[in-house]
Amino acid sequence: MTILVTGGTGRLGRHAVDALRARGHEPRILSRRPGADHIVADLGTGEGLAAALDGVDTVLHLATTRSKDIGQTRMLLDAMAGTGAHLVFISIVGVDRAPYAYYRDKVASEEAIAASGVPHTIIRVTQFHGFVSEFLDAQRRLPVTVVVPATVQTIHMPEVAARLAELVDARPAGRVADLGGPELLTLREHAVQWQQAHGIRRPIWSLRLPGRFARAAREGGLTSGLPGGGRVTFREYLAEELGNRATNGA
Ligand SMILES: NC(=O)c1ccc[n+]([C@@H]2O[C@H](COP(=O)([O-])OP(=O)(O)OC[C@H]3O[C@@H](n4cnc5c(N)ncnc54)[C@H](OP(=O)(O)O)[C@@H]3O)[C@@H](O)[C@H]2O)c1
């Protein structure tokens, strides 16, 4: 089976490529930049896309710009029309509950895929552990850690990647069950665990933001409920991540 991974160079995409290789596949990685196993194409302009799709059975579509995703999804759908290839698409849990431009784009992408006639599978996933830890890492040098009051259900990217690889190997299934992490935690609780893992202690300020997105996040609108499917906790992720950084001398 020939598999094309869009976004295969990204944070999740690198794990997805590993998960596909672990299942015996040799995926083609669509990127705007040349590299090992890359096929150069641009989902914004469509340049290189026809060649990237040549002979492809399944496309795992993970590419994102966080601002123009619907345009890129439509570009991909148009290029896939009539090829019979299976499109596996990742979306985000709560995109229809929390109003935000990026999320509206995800809903529009889901709808365009469902209406396209392209055989497809869509899975919504909760926030990645790495997404929240990047947000906290960015505040490392601040005298306080700032969070917003939100309950989230973060998940380990390799577990998401493994599920995506299963879906690539399965038949088109439409929208499948959401995938979430193993725990419901507030961002404050994440910040406490992050500080403990990094051996630092700072005041944690909770900044209550106005608006419907902030309210949806406070009320758990970004969570899929328990059990979520993921098993690796945020604390376990932090221990692994800091161990990797120590090994790599970072
Ligand atoms: N962050 C979260 O917590 C979360 C939760 C649930 C779902 N998701 C979804 O998971 C997916 C992966 O997210 P991520 O954070 O891993 O992404 P990321 O690290 O930001 O990577 C973005 C990828 O998109 C590709 N890309 C962007 N513009 C492109 C273009 N014009 N043509 C071709 N490729 C383009 C980039 O490829 P090149 O730069 O190599 O061209 C890169 O591989 C996204 O769909 C995201 O919405 C994220």
Side-chain angles (χ1 to χ4, degrees):
M1 173 160 65
T2 304
I3 301 164
L4 179 70
V5 184
T6 80
T9 59
R11 296 173 187 81
L12 173 64
R14 287 190 288 264
H15 293 286
V17 168
D18 287 348
L20 289 167
R21 287 186 178 138
R23 292 174 84 98
H25 298 297
E26 291 175 17
R28 217 181 261 181
I29 301 168
L30 186 152
S31 171
R32 288 163 296 177
R33 289 162 289 136
D37 300 325
H38 287 195
I39 181 139
V40 174
D42 189 325
L43 288 168
T45 62
E47 206 174 324
L49 193 50
L53 284 167
D54 189 35
V56 164
D57 302 291
T58 303
V59 178
L60 176 57
H61 181 35
L62 309 176
T64 183
T65 61
R66 294 184 181 78
S67 64
K68 296 175 227 149
D69 287 6
I70 178 59
Q72 298 201 354
T73 300
R74 286 211 182 100
M75 182 72 79
L76 183 60
L77 285 171
D78 287 349
M80 288 179 71
T83 64
H86 174 198
L87 176 63
V88 178
F89 177 65
I90 187 167
S91 185
I92 306 173
V93 170
V95 280
D96 50 355
R97 292 192 290 253
Y100 166 42
Y102 175 36
Y103 281 17
R104 275 192 287 272
D105 233 39
K106 280 285 186 198
V107 173
S109 290
E110 290 180 358
E111 289 172 353
I113 291 167
S116 67
V118 168
H120 62 272
T121 303
I122 297 172
I123 184 166
R124 290 184 180 178
V125 178
T126 55
Q127 279 68 40
F128 308 146
H129 291 323
F131 175 70
V132 172
S133 75
E134 266 183 36
F135 166 76
L136 295 166
D137 283 345
Q139 303 187 52
R140 202 183 159 76
R141 298 190 198 293
L142 297 183
V144 296
T145 302
V146 181
V147 295
V148 293
T151 297
V152 289
Q153 192 178 349
T154 61
I155 187 164
H156 199 32
M157 275 187 274
E159 293 181 319
V160 177
R163 177 71 180 127
L164 290 169
E166 265 175 27
L167 295 175
V168 163
D169 275 339
R171 296 178 60 76
R175 168 115 182 258
V176 297
D178 296 350
L179 178 64
E183 299 175 301
L184 296 172
L185 292 178
T186 62
L187 283 180
R188 173 181 285 278
E189 289 168 320
H190 280 87
V192 169
Q193 293 189 12
W194 178 87
Q195 289 194 2
Q196 287 168 347
H198 286 264
I200 56 181
R201 199 172 159 80
R202 309 247 165 83
I204 298 172
W205 288 0
S206 198
L207 188 66
R208 198 181 163 96
L209 297 175
R212 287 193 294 146
F213 182 86
R215 192 173 75 214
R218 266 196 312 275
E219 292 174 352
L222 304 181
T223 62
S224 64
L226 296 175
R231 302 174 71 94
V232 176
T233 64
F234 187 63
R235 197 182 287 286
E236 288 165 346
Y237 157 80
L238 288 169
E240 183 187 313
E241 181 62 19
L242 290 178
N244 289 342
R245 285 188 204 174
T247 308
N248 299 329

